[in-house]
């Protein structure tokens, strides 16, 4: 019984995101048939968000990991920008 409970707890979020992807796809099809293009686009965006959530859940990527990656990108970009020559062409607006 404990293994069934553990399996349900571990699979809850991927199943939820898979159901959300299915619902977004179904709603998008219905909205496109009914000529509601705006709502179809919104459902498409929900579907993309759910699929990203599904993929990150399967890969074991958490928000903490995304924060660490973003901070690393920011640090690398600051390092690269600090080493550019002062006469580097820049566009002033």
């Amino acid at each position: 019984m404990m293994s069934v409970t553990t399996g349900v707890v571990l699979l809850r979020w991927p199943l939820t995101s898979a159901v959300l992807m299915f619902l977004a796809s179904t709603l998008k099809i219905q909205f496109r048939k009914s000529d509601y293009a705006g709502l179809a686009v919104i459902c498409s965006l929900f579907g993309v968000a759910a699929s990203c959530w599904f993929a990150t859940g399967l890969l074991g990527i958490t928000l903490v990991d995304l924060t660490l990656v973003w901070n690393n990108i920011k640090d690398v970009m600051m390092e690269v920008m600090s080493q550019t020559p002062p006469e580097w062409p820049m566009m002033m607006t």
Side-chain angles (χ1 to χ4, degrees):
M1 189 65 175
M2 187 65 169
S3 63
V4 172
T5 305
T6 304
V8 169
V9 168
L10 290 176
L11 291 176
R12 178 180 55 196
W13 296 117
L15 285 176
T16 303
S17 58
V19 168
L20 287 175
M21 285 188 290
F22 173 74
L23 290 175
S25 174
T26 305
L27 283 174
K28 177 187 168 194
I29 292 168
Q30 293 300 320
F31 286 144
R32 287 189 62 145
K33 284 181 183 177
S34 301
D35 270 346
Y36 293 122
L39 290 175
V41 169
I42 291 171
C43 284
S44 294
L45 294 175
F46 282 141
V48 168
S51 63
C52 290
W53 181 27
F54 183 74
T56 56
L58 287 179
L59 294 172
I61 300 172
T62 62
L63 288 177
V64 174
D65 296 331
L66 293 177
T67 303
L68 291 173
V69 168
W70 179 254
N71 286 334
N72 188 27
I73 290 171
K74 185 177 69 170
D75 292 341
V76 167
M77 288 303 293
M78 293 300 289
E79 180 68 26
V80 167
M81 293 304 291
S82 70
Q83 294 181 6
T84 57
E87 64 274 356
W88 189 266
M90 294 183 67
M91 196 164 99
M92 301 297 276
T93 57

